[in-house]
Amino acid sequence: MERMLSGIAASPGFAVGEAYLLHRGEILVEERSLEPDEVEAEVRRFENALERAHGEVTDLQEKIIHSMGEEGARIFGVHLMILQDVMVVEDTIKGIRETQRNADAVFNEIMRKMMDTLSEAADEYLAQRALDIDDVRRRVLMQLAPGGRGLLRELRRPVVVVAEELTPSETAHLEPGKVLAFVTEAGGRTSHSAIMARSLGVPAVAGVSRITERIRSGSLIAVDGTSGQVAVNPDEHLIKFFEAQKAIFAELERELLKLKNLPAVTLDGREVELSANIELPEEVESALSHGARGIGLLRTEYLYLGREDLPGEEEQYADYTGIVEQVAPDSVIIRTFDLGGDKVGVVPATPMERNPFLGWRAIRVSLAHQEVFLQQLRAVLRASAHGPVKLIFPMISGLEELRQAKEVLNKAREGLRRDGLPFDEEMPVGIMMEIPAACAMTDILATEADFLSIGTNDLIQYSLAVDRGNARVAYLYQELHPAILRQVKMVIDAGHRHGRWVGMCGEMSANPLATMILIGMGLDELSMSPGLLPEIKKVIRSCTHAEAKACADEALNQDTVEGVTAVARRYTEGKLGELVTDVGEGAAEFPPVLQTIDEENNNA
Ligand code: PEP
Ligand code: MG
């Protein structure tokens, strides 16, 4: 019997397909052929992973000896022996060389064979050893594919990925054609995997309670990322309904795309810059084809998540330059690494913390690893010789941090001058306004920053004390909260008083209900996932700036989220024309007979 479940609409669109269940702790093993000249590097990568796994086990062993004594730690001695076992080590290296395949695949095969043989043994002791082999197998595979359960790119046919949660590294490298949709138990609209799904145009529903227990791999699942509904084992009638919605959605997108080459200008002639947020170089094409005027945010860390090391200057220079040349004459705002928070596991190692979003993240990591920071700044500066580039620092909380970051930037500039390498001496340097403390002192920061871009994803989580990835408190994550509107207004006004350009790169800029309020407040730019640009452009082209100002004034006078929402709805009504009738919700009208949302289960 079909079952309807509801969650958070994390990325719009519809999909029907086979579910692929990704359990916590499960490791997907990528299989890849190697070029002959990659083989020896792959052997070294395997040896390094073994060494790190060895270090991990030794640490663990010591810890347990301390707390439980030698006996308790005996098992780790066995694990160390497996890690050094000739059959394991040498056979894997031989396998990499002979079959020219990646270490993950070869090592996994060997370990699985050993596990199968042992589990068949009649001897209880030997059968138990299979568990140890499995433990070591997982440990080494995690070292080979840091940041998660391997990458989703080895999926062989298109599926709907269902998981408790997805890490940014897992979503960063998926092939859009292979994933029809995501459904997760955790997460919210602005968690990084949701942002990634939107960037890739993959529908997603987050916060679906216990979905991994309610579906098996291979079962049919239908996903509505526009309203946040999921149907498990849909019957024929429901499948037809979802397919029809999918067709309507595609038609709406086609209609909106007709605006692609038209300017984002209000009926009374006020132009607003509309640009795109991207995470990967491949997304530039989508940004341009959706009519973006430049890149308002390049989240550089995504280029390198899911690998063992951060790239050096040359690799970054090549990547950034490629993007800059494609986007010129429009500009690219390159953000320095925002590692930490929910983007852990790469080098420099950002450890799991109790309060990751309040911890060692973004500019804090960069300032602590100045050698890594300096390389990135040199690469960005060098890319600025190839087209308009602006640099932006994430998570600035006060003037000291901005000054320290600029000091490293000056070092980078001096180094390049010494090396005779060209760069744009006038490259603007801005800051993300995403910490309430920074917003409160916009007037001061604006004297030393060339431009400001409001990062509402973090600003909302910090202002309202709502973890952006926590489905349980997602109902409190409110873009139209009066406190958020006031802060945004304060930043725009103070920035403008100092002659600064003020943009917004948080997801709020893609909320059609917020568009008139934001442009009415005088924001210079809105930057968002490429696929969402046409809808926002449609709102801008359907109103006058005077109307938007009236909408913003009224909204700012409201005491409650409800009040602001009512004002926004009244002003925005009809602005999306015939295309979307229910602004901001876009909820599909489910046939009454199918509105059998399993209340008891949904509330579990
Ligand atoms: C933000 O916080 O709004 C933002 C754009 O940055 P990120 O989502 O990468 O934290
Ligand atoms: Mg942020």
XYZ file of all heavy atoms in Angstrom, residues 190 192 195 277 297 299 301-302 335 338 343 361 432 434 454-459 468 505-507, ligand 1:
212
model
N 18.460 24.895 4.078
C 19.755 25.525 3.816
C 20.927 24.664 4.275
O 22.038 25.152 4.393
C 19.866 26.912 4.492
O 19.751 26.714 5.897
C 18.796 27.852 4.012
N 23.902 22.113 3.672
C 24.708 22.177 2.455
C 24.338 21.134 1.402
O 24.489 21.371 0.216
C 26.199 22.153 2.801
C 26.671 23.502 3.263
N 26.949 23.776 4.580
C 26.842 24.662 2.601
C 27.287 25.049 4.689
N 27.240 25.605 3.508
N 21.472 22.637 -0.549
C 21.957 23.683 -1.455
C 22.555 23.023 -2.695
O 22.327 23.427 -3.832
C 23.002 24.570 -0.750
C 22.314 25.396 0.340
C 23.712 25.476 -1.745
C 23.256 26.202 1.205
N 25.020 31.319 -7.455
C 25.931 30.667 -6.499
C 26.343 29.346 -7.128
O 25.482 28.583 -7.572
C 25.202 30.315 -5.202
C 24.740 31.541 -4.435
O 25.145 32.662 -4.732
N 23.883 31.328 -3.456
N 28.662 33.961 -5.810
C 29.344 33.201 -4.763
C 29.902 31.905 -5.346
O 29.141 31.069 -5.838
C 28.371 32.859 -3.613
C 28.933 31.968 -2.500
C 30.048 32.674 -1.742
C 27.830 31.561 -1.514
N 31.651 28.800 -3.951
C 32.027 28.125 -2.693
C 33.209 27.212 -2.994
O 33.019 26.056 -3.369
C 30.853 27.313 -2.158
C 29.666 28.119 -1.655
C 28.604 27.162 -1.125
N 27.567 27.819 -0.352
C 26.385 28.174 -0.833
N 26.084 27.959 -2.090
N 25.488 28.738 -0.039
N 35.398 25.498 -1.409
C 35.708 24.243 -0.708
C 35.126 23.022 -1.409
O 35.685 21.938 -1.359
C 35.251 24.297 0.755
C 33.766 24.520 0.991
C 33.342 25.977 0.864
O 34.204 26.836 0.643
O 32.131 26.240 0.961
N 34.007 23.204 -2.126
C 33.377 22.061 -2.780
C 34.230 21.469 -3.893
O 34.111 20.305 -4.227
C 32.032 22.465 -3.377
C 30.954 22.454 -2.349
C 30.684 23.581 -1.603
C 30.235 21.297 -2.093
C 29.708 23.568 -0.642
C 29.257 21.278 -1.140
C 28.994 22.419 -0.414
O 28.035 22.396 0.537
N 34.928 32.941 -2.865
C 34.989 32.918 -1.405
C 36.125 32.002 -0.960
O 36.281 30.914 -1.500
C 33.667 32.402 -0.841
C 33.664 32.397 0.679
C 32.326 31.986 1.230
N 32.094 30.563 1.102
C 30.960 29.962 1.479
N 29.971 30.686 1.965
N 30.810 28.669 1.354
N 35.497 27.714 3.157
C 34.627 27.693 4.339
C 34.587 26.248 4.823
O 33.585 25.554 4.674
C 33.229 28.206 3.968
C 32.289 28.299 5.167
O 32.646 27.803 6.248
O 31.195 28.863 5.014
N 31.229 20.687 6.886
C 32.140 20.265 5.824
C 33.476 19.855 6.422
O 34.432 20.613 6.436
C 32.305 21.393 4.799
C 31.035 21.592 3.992
C 31.087 22.798 3.102
C 30.919 24.062 3.884
N 30.624 25.234 3.059
N 35.729 27.050 12.071
C 35.126 27.026 10.750
C 35.592 28.221 9.924
O 35.936 29.266 10.475
C 33.606 27.098 10.967
C 32.780 26.819 9.787
C 31.325 27.127 9.986
N 30.813 27.443 8.655
C 29.623 27.928 8.394
N 28.787 28.163 9.366
N 29.275 28.201 7.163
N 31.470 38.353 3.964
C 30.130 37.783 4.105
C 29.544 38.376 5.384
O 30.214 38.405 6.419
C 30.211 36.264 4.294
C 30.840 35.513 3.166
S 29.673 35.064 1.872
C 28.514 34.026 2.740
N 27.259 37.313 7.805
C 26.509 36.119 8.177
C 26.562 35.839 9.676
O 26.081 34.815 10.144
C 26.971 34.911 7.359
C 28.463 34.654 7.361
C 28.854 33.514 6.415
O 27.987 32.762 5.962
O 30.071 33.382 6.151
N 25.308 39.460 2.020
C 24.611 38.916 3.195
C 24.383 37.416 3.031
O 23.761 36.977 2.058
C 23.266 39.641 3.414
C 23.506 41.167 3.476
C 22.583 39.159 4.690
C 22.226 41.997 3.523
N 24.910 36.662 3.967
C 24.766 35.202 3.941
C 23.666 34.805 4.894
O 23.901 34.521 6.071
N 22.434 34.796 4.377
C 21.304 34.558 5.284
C 21.255 33.129 5.831
O 20.651 32.900 6.873
C 19.966 34.855 4.579
O 19.967 34.175 3.327
C 19.774 36.329 4.381
N 21.879 32.186 5.118
C 21.802 30.800 5.614
C 22.369 30.714 7.021
O 21.789 30.101 7.907
C 22.572 29.850 4.694
C 22.100 29.943 3.263
O 21.001 30.406 3.018
N 22.928 29.526 2.324
N 23.517 31.328 7.202
C 24.109 31.332 8.537
C 23.517 32.429 9.402
O 23.285 32.228 10.588
C 25.631 31.513 8.440
C 26.308 30.195 8.104
O 25.956 29.180 8.729
O 27.158 30.168 7.207
N 23.274 33.578 8.805
C 22.756 34.690 9.609
C 21.459 34.289 10.322
O 21.257 34.611 11.494
C 22.504 35.911 8.713
C 22.094 37.172 9.457
C 23.149 37.588 10.471
C 21.818 38.325 8.499
N 20.790 25.136 11.062
C 20.232 25.100 9.718
C 20.042 23.686 9.180
O 19.351 23.484 8.185
C 21.100 25.932 8.763
C 22.505 25.421 8.629
C 23.425 26.461 7.988
N 23.549 26.302 6.542
C 24.367 27.016 5.788
N 25.134 27.958 6.332
N 24.447 26.815 4.508
N 23.808 36.481 -0.842
C 24.070 35.179 -1.466
C 23.480 34.032 -0.661
O 23.679 32.872 -0.982
C 25.560 34.981 -1.691
S 26.508 35.145 -0.179
N 22.734 34.352 0.395
C 22.052 33.290 1.149
C 20.799 32.873 0.378
O 20.349 33.574 -0.542
N 20.218 31.755 0.779
C 19.084 31.196 0.033
C 17.834 32.077 0.081
O 16.921 31.911 -0.713
C 18.760 29.805 0.564
C 19.855 28.790 0.313
C 20.117 28.560 -1.160
O 19.153 28.306 -1.903
O 21.287 28.659 -1.569
C 25.251 31.739 3.865
O 25.601 31.414 5.001
O 24.199 32.328 3.608
C 26.095 31.389 2.696
C 25.813 31.817 1.504
O 27.163 30.576 2.919
P 27.045 28.997 3.134
O 25.644 28.573 2.795
O 28.050 28.376 2.241
O 27.366 28.836 4.592
